[in-house]
Amino acid sequence: MNNIALKEKFYQKKLLVLIGHMGSGKSSIGKILARNLNWNFYDSDKIIENKLKTTINNIFKIKGEIFFRRIEKKTIAKLLKKNNAVVAVGGGSILEKETRDLISKKTISIFLNVDIEVLVKRLKRSNKRPLLNNVDIKKKILTLNDKRARFYEKADIEIRNINNIDQSIKKILKEIIS
Ligand code: S3P
């Protein structure tokens, strides 16, 4: 999408969605981005946890991934009705066609593209991701990447290798605001 079309879409939709792998920084960047725009920030995982009053780990353990994906799809569909909002969605949500279609129709999507090595380093410090419990994290991310990269790459904006959050925010704002 060219720059003018992107800016027009931004002013029409007033809704930004952050996509990318677990550990790519969607929540951290999303919160600051929302603050900069004076918009609200939503994180689909947090909303699901609040609604079901338990952790994502427990939802996967007790109800299973298929159940989670169903709730995730519904939660995101509701979130994407909002305006003046930045939404971070779970890394696997884009596997649902319905979710992908809503994202491309209703939002400006931003793909946080972080090197696998960096993701692995960050994810080794976390135990909040059920898909990464008791597995070789690098192998797992590579497998997930095989299925997901082509969807992430369809985003309106791609931000590569965020080492400096401030710089990433500046870059995103420059792309969407004239
Ligand atoms: C998942 C990503 C997680 C969470 C769940 C599954 C995935 O969200 O939805 O653990 O399939 O990539 P984050 O991307 O916010 O970590």
Side-chain angles (χ1 to χ4, degrees):
M1 189 179 293
N2 72 43
N3 222 261
I4 293 169
L6 196 60
K7 284 178 176 137
E8 247 166 44
K9 195 178 178 197
F10 170 74
Y11 284 108
Q12 268 170 17
K13 311 286 178 188
K14 292 189 160 51
L15 181 60
L16 296 176
V17 168
L18 293 160
I19 64 173
H21 280 298
M22 299 177 253
S24 59
K26 291 167 291 188
S27 297
S28 332
I29 301 249
K31 272 181 209 156
I32 302 172
L33 196 53
R35 213 180 299 142
N36 270 273
L37 292 164
N38 213 6
W39 286 2
N40 293 312
F41 173 71
Y42 302 93
D43 176 324
S44 65
D45 282 344
K46 283 273 161 337
I47 289 179
I48 295 168
E49 289 186 328
N50 290 340
K51 195 169 158 191
L52 301 189
K53 296 188 176 57
T54 186
T55 60
I56 300 291
N57 258 330
N58 264 334
I59 300 169
F60 269 68
K61 199 155 73 188
I62 295 162
K63 301 277 201 176
E65 182 171 354
I66 293 175
F67 173 86
F68 171 77
R69 295 296 175 201
R70 215 181 310 137
I71 303 281
E72 182 180 47
K73 184 166 84 174
K74 278 192 201 159
T75 305
I76 294 173
K78 257 196 191 163
L79 284 176
L80 298 191
K81 290 191 175 135
K82 296 193 181 288
N83 284 126
N84 302 316
V86 179
V87 178
V89 296
S93 60
I94 42 81
L95 293 172
E96 277 288 343
K97 184 173 183 315
E98 214 178 295
T99 301
R100 290 199 302 275
D101 289 349
L102 280 178
I103 289 176
S104 83
K105 203 169 116 199
K106 298 193 152 201
T107 82
I108 296 265
S109 50
I110 303 166
F111 167 33
L112 302 183
N113 189 358
V114 177
D115 284 349
I116 305 280
E117 295 296 340
V118 178
L119 289 178
V120 172
K121 224 188 248 171
R122 288 183 193 165
L123 290 166
K124 273 188 178 155
R125 286 186 247 125
S126 157
N127 56 5
K128 290 187 187 151
R129 270 71 174 214
L131 294 179
L132 304 180
N133 290 340
N134 308 315
V135 297
D136 179 322
I137 294 183
K138 185 169 181 185
K139 255 194 207 158
K140 183 70 185 184
I141 292 289
L142 284 169
T143 309
L144 296 177
N145 193 52
D146 280 346
K147 295 200 187 87
R148 299 177 179 182
R150 65 199 172 104
F151 299 130
Y152 291 151
E153 282 159 10
K154 296 233 164 70
D156 296 311
I157 299 172
E158 181 174 333
I159 301 291
R160 272 201 69 86
N161 286 323
I162 308 127
N163 293 314
N164 179 326
I165 292 196
D166 285 348
Q167 241 173 13
S168 314
I169 302 283
K170 266 193 201 143
K171 206 170 160 189
I172 295 171
L173 291 174
K174 198 176 147 212
E175 295 242 22
I176 53 180
I177 300 177
S178 35

